[in-house]
Amino acid sequence: MDRLIYLDNNATTPIDPDVLEAMMPYFTTHFANASSLTHRAGRVAAAAIDAAREQTATLIGAAANEITFTSGATEAINMGIKGIFEYYQSKGKHIISCRTEHKAVLDTLAYLEKKGAEVTYLPVTPDGCIELDALKSAIRPDTVLVTLMWANNETGVLHPIADIAELVHNHQALFFCDATQAAGKMMIDLSKSGPDLLCLSAHKLYGPKGTGALYIRRRNKRIQTGALLHGGGQENKLRAGTLNVPGIVGLGKAAEIARQRLVGEMPRLMRLRDMLESQLSKIPATAINGRDAPRLPHVSNITFRHLRADQIMVTVPDIALASGSACVSGTRDPSHVLMAMGLSPTDAHASLRFSLGRFNTEAEIGTVIKQLTDAVKKLRAASPIWQLHDAGLVE
């Protein structure tokens, strides 16, 4: 593990040492239940929850009372989308989403379709972008919810969230945004406008696994949702259960650090990503997916034609990469995101995701460029399909 160059930060980030340090007392000294307000130990834990709620809210320009802690983004997605559908059915049962959403959203919508929801899935351009005119045309009087991600987990492509929010609100619908990959990686300020509901996850921004948050707008118009879990009435009766104090403290600290480092970190990661792309794109028959679209500064998805991504990854065992979303990495199906962008199944299987992070260095990126270039050259030299391509007999 000491030699591993980790470029799979969209799957999960390593925990920041300062986050771990902040969490440790709440495993040991301050172990009390945050709902036990009748004694000092419980009040100390409750105060830590309050502080973390403020830190998390500040990261995205929200108010503390707009944050509900969850076990992660998947739970927040289920809570938000199912809650809106359940509470606002009197307005309608129509939901709009996109074919490149994360499986946590797509599978939740598939469940709701069995419960009577009617879902319109927007297509994307070859760069992975939605067209606002297509969204506008899809909105109906009975549209209750539009759910679109801020940043794609496989390509880093960004949707125009402010424009989407304005369009959705002009049609009196609600807007849920999966910001799992965007929170802590780019500027988000919900104090002005934007989604009515938004989710994030601690382990995508150098915090612990098992903790996330759901933002529900309380200003201007108060959004109502049903509870996903019932029991002790925690989290404003939206999410019952004993609070994970160390995890929530970790999320708060991770959010605070991300906000402090954001201005300097974005250009640094973009420089490293551009360095990676400029060199790997010199390899023949490669393509950067979503290259001309607005993207996160640290994500690159590259197709190496006439190879398989898993072949390349086996050849460079000291580099941690991904061939798609971590949630579906065990499947043999090609990426639904890349397929929606128009790639063939063969090219989708030939694509690798590079997601850089806080602890990556320029020296590491130089090593990755050399090892990937050598690996592709070696694999293609032994590939009959590549030899046919090189001879001009196949595209």
Side-chain angles (χ1 to χ4, degrees), residues 4-7 9 12-20 203-207 257 261 265 268-269 272 298 355-365:
L4 185 71
I5 298 176
Y6 187 77
L7 297 182
N9 287 278
T12 192
T13 52
I15 194 164
D16 188 293
D18 290 338
V19 172
L20 182 60
H203 78 104
K204 305 294 189 182
L205 47 93
Y206 308 94
I257 294 171
R261 297 188 58 149
E265 188 71 350
R268 186 188 79 87
L269 289 174
L272 294 182
H298 68 287
S355 48
L356 286 63
R358 181 177 295 169
F359 304 109
N360 290 128
T361 65
E362 185 172 331
E364 287 182 327
I365 300 306

Side-chain angles (χ1 to χ4, degrees), residues 181-203:
Q181 296 296 346
K185 313 293 178 59
M186 58 179 294
M187 299 299 296
I188 295 177
D189 186 358
L190 301 178
S191 66
K192 300 171 184 176
S193 65
D196 301 293
L197 302 96
L198 175 147
C199 69
L200 58 85
S201 185
H203 78 104

Side-chain angles (χ1 to χ4, degrees), residues 321-360:
L321 299 167
S323 57
S325 173
C327 69
V328 294
S329 62
T331 72
R332 295 180 180 272
D333 296 331
S335 161
H336 73 282
V337 172
L338 298 181
M339 294 281 285
M341 294 167 64
L343 272 68
S344 68
T346 300
D347 282 351
H349 277 304
S351 301
L352 285 172
R353 181 186 69 186
F354 302 79
S355 48
L356 286 63
R358 181 177 295 169
F359 304 109
N360 290 128

